Amino acid sequence: MRKRILPRRGIFARSEEILITMGTQNALYLIAQLLCHRGTRVALESPGYREAMNVFAQRGACLQLQTVDTEGMRLEGSQQCDYLYVMPSHQVPTGVTMSRERREALLAQLPHHDQIVIEDDYDAEIHGDQFALPALKASAQSARIIYMGSLSKALSPGLRMGYVVADAEVIDELRALRRMMYRHPPAALQHQLAQFISQGYYERYLKLHVEEIDRRRDTMRLAIDQALPGCLSHSSSRSSAFWMEADAGIDTQRLAWHAAQRGVLIEPGFQHFFDAAPPRRFFRLGFGAIERERIDPGIQHLGLAYDNALSTLTTGT
């Protein structure tokens, strides 16, 4: 990992600066246990990753919601927070990539306000774009960034193998916390993965995986353009899901129910907003677990459900 995976994201770390965890969610829980207490101020993206909000809220942290636009998390007001939880590469759920200018502004404010970034490098495994921006952890502010990654998404969601990269002192404390929970991830699994990576099989597999993900994304994008012309996609060109905005007045929870009757599952977007009255017009379309030949027929069925929802909205019936 230290020699073959992290350098892909511009990160060069010593062994004592890396902790293996049971996935990213487990890593986030350990970090929150170590750093957060009642009154700790944490900036969160909204819409964002609900389980992150739950973990920080469980520790009694004061959560400050930061809106997300086409350049990633907006920074207004975040300067008063102790920690900033961000997904700069592919934000969940929008799939937006934080712009270079926004990254530079974020990194510039850290030393001036004595802040720490918790970087969740979601979809780091499928960065097939040679021009992809490096992780924030690869910057000159590396000491102020705690980095989380995962091996599960590309290989198998059930694998539950992630990692944290941070200063050695932080890793020591996290390791002590981990030991009280489960001592360490299964040694046999770690050994098998280490062999898989060191012998080059992981890179070969990842190349094929990224190529297939690219084909599925292109197939879904074309199908969306044909069957859902009234919807807007806000995701970046290489995200692993499409964050869609429906016509005003469309309740995507109801749309999800009607789509399910046609055998198509979509994710209503309101659950990713942490406001008291979340918008109801957003939804999310994934494609990683769907065979490519089933994508176009599925989107066509969704388009029919969407047209029915529009006609109902127009007629008021």
Side-chain angles (χ1 to χ4, degrees), residues 2-300:
R2 183 171 64 88
K3 296 180 179 180
R4 290 182 175 267
I5 293 180
L6 293 178
R8 289 171 56 91
R9 301 296 294 127
I11 299 172
F12 299 89
R14 304 189 306 272
S15 298
E16 59 268 28
E17 296 174 325
I18 303 171
L19 179 75
I20 303 299
T21 66
M22 299 288 283
T24 305
Q25 183 65 29
N26 175 230
L28 184 58
Y29 183 82
L30 289 171
I31 291 169
Q33 287 287 318
L34 177 64
L35 301 179
C36 295
H37 53 77
R38 190 165 299 279
T40 301
R41 297 164 297 180
V42 180
L44 286 174
E45 299 159 322
S46 182
Y49 182 41
R50 179 161 291 276
E51 293 306 324
M53 185 204 72
N54 292 338
V55 166
F56 291 123
Q58 186 268 339
R59 292 296 297 161
C62 296
L63 305 181
Q64 177 165 307
L65 304 182
Q66 306 290 137
T67 57
V68 176
D69 60 20
T70 56
E71 295 188 67
M73 186 178 80
R74 296 180 63 90
L75 302 178
E76 292 85 352
S78 66
Q79 295 80 6
Q80 62 186 343
C81 294
D82 303 301
Y83 302 98
L84 297 91
Y85 172 77
V86 296
M87 293 180 163
S89 297
H90 288 136
Q91 199 266 346
V92 173
T94 67
V96 168
T97 297
M98 183 178 282
S99 68
R100 186 182 301 274
E101 293 74 19
R102 190 71 56 84
R103 290 169 185 243
E104 291 174 353
L106 171 60
L107 294 171
Q109 79 178 39
L110 300 183
H112 294 294
H113 300 279
D114 194 21
Q115 295 176 301
I116 298 294
V117 163
I118 301 170
E119 179 182 10
D120 188 343
D121 202 9
Y122 186 79
D123 274 353
E125 311 100 308
I126 62 171
H127 280 291
D129 186 357
Q130 61 177 322
F131 302 110
L133 293 171
L136 296 178
K137 183 65 176 173
S139 70
Q141 296 296 335
S142 175
R144 290 187 173 272
I145 298 171
I146 299 173
Y147 177 90
M148 300 187 304
S150 171
L151 295 172
S152 303
K153 191 172 182 62
L155 291 174
S156 170
L159 186 64
R160 308 318 309 150
M161 188 66 68
Y163 47 91
V164 178
V165 183
D167 282 2
E169 294 83 357
V170 175
I171 294 298
D172 282 344
E173 296 296 331
L174 290 173
R175 184 172 287 110
L177 275 175
R178 186 191 67 177
R179 187 165 53 247
M180 289 191 290
M181 296 177 63
Y182 53 85
R183 195 164 185 84
H184 56 72
L189 179 57
Q190 291 190 64
H191 178 74
Q192 291 169 8
L193 272 175
Q195 291 297 314
F196 187 71
I197 293 169
S198 64
Q199 295 178 23
Y201 295 116
Y202 179 75
E203 291 180 355
R204 184 186 306 172
Y205 166 80
L206 201 59
K207 181 178 184 296
L208 297 175
H209 177 73
V210 169
E211 289 174 352
E212 176 58 25
I213 288 295
D214 288 346
R215 287 190 288 266
R216 295 184 190 186
R217 185 190 301 108
D218 292 341
T219 299
M220 179 167 279
R221 183 179 289 111
L222 180 60
I224 288 172
D225 290 342
Q226 295 175 344
L228 297 167
C231 291
L232 297 176
S233 174
H234 296 280
S235 303
S236 64
S237 60
R238 302 195 67 85
S239 61
S240 62
F242 287 84
W243 180 246
M244 307 296 297
E245 182 177 359
D247 289 85
I250 294 288
D251 186 332
T252 56
Q253 189 171 21
R254 295 183 60 184
L255 175 63
W257 186 87
H258 287 291
Q261 308 311 303
R262 299 174 181 269
V264 179
L265 301 181
I266 68 173
E267 183 181 6
F270 72 92
Q271 58 194 336
H272 293 286
F273 291 87
F274 309 137
D275 310 272
R280 311 285 296 188
R281 66 185 183 277
F282 294 94
F283 64 101
R284 193 169 179 231
L285 294 174
F287 52 84
I290 305 173
E291 295 175 358
R292 185 153 40 105
E293 58 269 18
R294 300 182 64 184
I295 291 177
D296 183 71
I299 296 298
Q300 298 302 323

